[in-house]
Amino acid sequence: MDRLVYTALSGLRSAMAAQDVTAHNIANASTIGFKRDVSEAQSRHLVGGQSFASRIQAAEGTLASDQAPGTVNQTGRALDVAMLGESMMAVQAPDGTEVYTRRGDLRISPTGILETGDGLVVVGQGGPITVPPANTVEIGADGTVSIRPQGGQLNEMSEVGRIKLVTPQPDELEKGLDNLMRAAGGGQLAQDDTARLQTGGLEGSNVNMMASMVDMIEQARAYEVQVQLVTSVRDMDMSSTSLLRLE
């Protein structure tokens, strides 16, 4: 009986973990630049012995994030940018470390600091990018931020900074619980001078809502099957106990 219970327990844990990942993806289906999480079952030792390991069961866990690009929606806003290819933009996390994102809804804070829509400071070649009061702010394809000062001529543009763009390899990144990418093992990634971005558009999430809803239904049914298995084990145990009492 105990083997059957451990099998059901493994299934319940896996179904719950898979549902957590799918629910997280669905919740971020409208988040700008979000990359969906991918989960898979892995073997785990739930019970170990002194001479050998036993009860090797499967457990669901987050494998990685899908880096496939999302659809770029045109907005026409000068401070909206979408990274091209596999490139990412460097921003400053709340703890001060450098992290990376595809979220490109930029804005200028009241103090003149260029930041993302969720308030993270955009990192330039020399640190945070400060934008003085200006009539026009433009972002070039290479991340260069230029302004036309107040009272300046129409063709008078001054460069105030350049957004740090990186193009990491898949194994160079780790995704945090805050949906931000970090360099694996800590540290910072080198700037990629060949990376480019597109202005006037925003990259949407790469979550496929239809596929995610189907996954959620399948995972819910898998959970129900494991619950029924536990119920069957209980009924079998009660039947065995009744037979022993009759003897």
Side-chain angles (χ1 to χ4, degrees), residues 68-74 82 202-206:
T71 302
V72 176
N73 301 308
Q74 299 299 321
L202 291 174
E203 179 186 3
S205 168
N206 67 350

Side-chain angles (χ1 to χ4, degrees), residues 200-240:
L202 291 174
E203 179 186 3
S205 168
N206 67 350
V207 175
N208 185 322
M209 279 296 294
M210 185 67 69
S212 296
M213 292 302 298
V214 171
D215 290 342
M216 182 65 76
I217 294 172
E218 291 179 348
Q219 291 155 4
R221 289 178 176 173
Y223 187 88
E224 292 174 0
V225 170
Q226 301 304 324
V227 171
Q228 292 173 2
L229 186 57
V230 173
T231 302
S232 298
V233 172
R234 182 199 62 186
D235 295 341
M236 293 169 63
D237 187 61
M238 291 178 62
S239 299
S240 300

Side-chain angles (χ1 to χ4, degrees), residues 8-19 41-42 57-61 219:
L9 172 62
S10 174
L12 287 171
R13 290 164 60 98
S14 295
M16 290 178 63
Q19 283 184 321
Q42 301 172 341
Q57 306 291 351
E60 195 81 12
Q219 291 155 4

Side-chain angles (χ1 to χ4, degrees), residues 45-206:
H45 298 288
L46 297 186
V47 178
Q50 294 182 352
S51 58
F52 63 94
S54 63
R55 304 291 189 271
I56 301 177
Q57 306 291 351
E60 195 81 12
T62 302
L63 177 63
S65 58
D66 182 6
Q67 295 299 320
T71 302
V72 176
N73 301 308
Q74 299 299 321
T75 64
R77 183 172 173 268
L79 292 182
D80 284 345
V81 297
M83 271 55 70
L84 301 180
E86 302 296 327
S87 62
M88 292 187 174
M89 178 174 60
V91 295
Q92 191 176 80
D95 61 0
T97 59
E98 183 175 295
V99 294
Y100 309 97
T101 182
R102 300 269 293 187
R103 178 165 184 165
D105 55 335
L106 306 184
R107 65 187 183 189
I108 301 173
S109 71
T111 58
I113 301 296
L114 186 66
E115 61 184 20
T116 61
D118 52 355
L120 298 179
V121 175
V122 177
V123 175
Q125 292 178 319
I129 298 175
T130 301
V131 181
N135 291 332
T136 305
V137 179
E138 296 181 357
I139 300 177
D142 61 349
T144 300
V145 181
S146 303
I147 65 169
R148 190 176 84 238
Q150 292 181 349
Q153 301 298 322
L154 291 178
N155 58 351
E156 182 184 350
M157 299 296 293
S158 302
E159 181 179 333
V160 296
R162 182 180 178 184
I163 299 172
K164 180 178 179 181
L165 299 176
V166 301
T167 306
Q169 298 297 320
D171 57 351
E172 291 182 323
L173 292 178
E174 294 177 348
K175 186 176 181 180
L177 297 177
D178 52 5
N179 294 329
L180 296 172
M181 299 294 181
R182 291 168 169 81
Q188 300 177 0
L189 300 179
Q191 177 164 330
D192 181 7
D193 292 331
T194 64
R196 292 293 181 266
L197 52 78
Q198 172 185 335
T199 59
L202 291 174
E203 179 186 3
S205 168
N206 67 350

